[in-house]
Amino acid sequence: MELRNLRTMVEVARQGGFSQAARVLFSTQSTVSKAVKNLEDELGEALFTRLSGGARLTEAGELVYARAVAMLAEAEHIQSELTELRGLLTGKLRLGLPIFGSAKLFAPLFTIFRSRYPGVEIELLEQGSAHLEAAILAGEVELAVSLLPVSESFEWQAVHDAPLMALLWADHPLRRRRNIKLAELSTSPFILFEHGFILNERIEEACRKRGFVPHASARSSQMDFIVALAAAGLGVPLVPQVMVEERKLSPLKAVCVNEPDLRWKAALIWRKEAKLSPAARAWLALTREKFPI
């Protein structure tokens, strides 16, 4: 019985549904559903009654939930004791994070990391992914977030995989669509990110594959300014889905760019064959726990 599946089941019960739990776990609804289904198959019992607006624990689910909470608490205690045994009471986590998406994805993890390792100092570098890759090779940080695929200079661990969203102004002809293809934006001006953002390279490469070169009407590294420029009709930005969730976009409309080769595939990376510090290894373990991709 995997603790990860128990942890997912507990979160579904707490949040009252699979989609709600997926948001809290920074995962996908399909991943959450699969974890619960695996647990149900293993136990031979249905743990939830699936409802149109969520999920409710069955009688068997109530029993498993109580046991799972106790097991997860005990696992936390074991981890804490092992951490002390290994001596991870002090140290430094040198971590590079991108400007986009970090608040949504990683801010909650810092609270957990701090509670587990209160003596570890966290040193952050916030830059575009191209700068972060260079910082790893230069030894400025041990771990950083970049976009897949990465060069053979790095090892990596997947964190988040989601589509890009096109932010379309009020009278854009495609704004009534739920999904669009990148080629349909070939005549629209683009709002790109500043140089140093690998996402620019991914977008430009995908456009060239489809026979056009994106015209950049503006560049910025500030999401609020990008939204304002798009609302004024200056161009269409393509931004990670995580950046538009829970953000007020009106009068803009976020439309999914349905292209398998143009997705925001974020990963933690580190220099190949590097001997990571205990703090870095602890951060990798925490992200594996919270982002079971």
Side-chain angles (χ1 to χ4, degrees):
M1 189 178 300
E2 294 188 16
L3 288 177
R4 183 173 64 184
N5 292 342
L6 288 174
R7 187 173 289 107
T8 301
M9 178 263 182
V10 166
E11 204 58 56
V12 172
R14 287 173 174 168
Q15 301 301 322
F18 290 81
S19 60
Q20 300 95 315
R23 287 194 292 270
V24 171
L25 295 169
F26 300 104
S27 184
T28 63
Q29 184 171 342
S30 62
T31 299
V32 170
S33 297
K34 182 179 179 181
V36 173
K37 181 64 166 55
N38 288 342
L39 188 58
E40 290 177 326
D41 290 345
E42 185 177 359
L43 296 173
E45 294 284 350
L47 302 178
F48 291 96
T49 300
R50 274 70 169 174
L51 307 171
S52 59
R56 184 177 65 243
L57 285 168
T58 62
E59 184 176 356
E62 294 279 3
L63 187 153
V64 174
Y65 174 81
R67 294 291 188 180
V69 170
M71 290 172 66
L72 292 171
E74 185 60 27
E76 288 281 351
H77 293 155
I78 292 172
Q79 180 63 46
S80 177
E81 291 173 4
L82 287 175
T83 296
E84 292 182 6
L85 182 64
R86 296 180 185 125
L88 188 54
L89 301 178
T90 61
K92 180 179 291 187
L93 173 64
R94 295 181 297 119
L95 179 64
L97 294 179
I99 295 172
F100 295 135
S102 294
K104 175 76 172 179
L105 291 177
F106 298 107
L109 270 65
F110 285 111
T111 301
I112 299 172
F113 189 85
R114 178 65 69 192
S115 68
R116 293 182 183 178
Y117 316 111
V120 175
E121 178 185 351
I122 300 173
E123 184 177 288
L124 295 179
L125 174 65
E126 293 182 271
Q127 292 284 349
S129 295
H131 292 303
L132 293 178
E133 290 188 1
I136 287 182
L137 296 177
E140 296 176 21
V141 295
E142 282 192 277
L143 301 172
V145 175
S146 190
L147 299 183
L148 297 177
V150 293
S151 77
E152 294 182 356
S153 300
F154 303 104
E155 302 282 357
W156 57 272
Q157 176 180 299
V159 169
H160 193 74
D161 182 354
L164 295 183
M165 309 297 288
L167 303 186
L168 304 180
W169 58 81
D171 59 352
H172 195 284
L174 298 174
R175 69 174 278 119
R176 294 185 180 277
R177 300 266 297 278
R178 295 186 62 182
N179 297 277
I180 59 174
K181 292 294 184 180
L182 182 61
E184 295 179 272
L185 295 172
S186 61
T187 59
S188 295
F190 279 68
I191 299 174
L192 296 177
F193 307 107
E194 290 182 350
H195 299 290
F197 286 76
I198 290 178
L199 185 54
N200 276 342
E201 299 175 16
R202 302 288 189 267
I203 293 172
E204 291 168 349
E205 179 183 1
C207 290
R208 287 193 296 270
K209 285 183 179 179
R210 289 155 178 81
F212 72 99
V213 176
H215 168 64
S217 59
R219 294 178 182 269
S220 178
S221 62
Q222 302 300 318
M223 187 62 186
D224 289 341
F225 190 47
I226 288 173
V227 168
L229 292 175
L234 191 65
V236 176
L238 304 184
V239 301
Q241 186 181 45
V242 69
M243 291 299 299
V244 299
E245 294 173 346
E246 303 176 6
R247 177 183 284 270
K248 293 181 180 180
L249 294 174
S250 182
L252 293 172
K253 173 73 177 299
V255 178
C256 178
V257 180
N258 187 16
E259 299 287 4
D261 64 333
L262 185 59
R263 296 177 63 86
W264 198 68
K265 296 183 177 182
L268 273 166
I269 65 171
W270 59 96
R271 185 166 47 83
K272 196 168 187 177
E273 299 180 356
K275 185 177 180 180
L276 296 177
S277 68
R281 294 198 301 270
W283 181 260
L284 285 174
L286 176 59
T287 54
R288 278 195 299 271
E289 175 186 326
K290 296 301 179 183
F291 304 120
I293 294 180

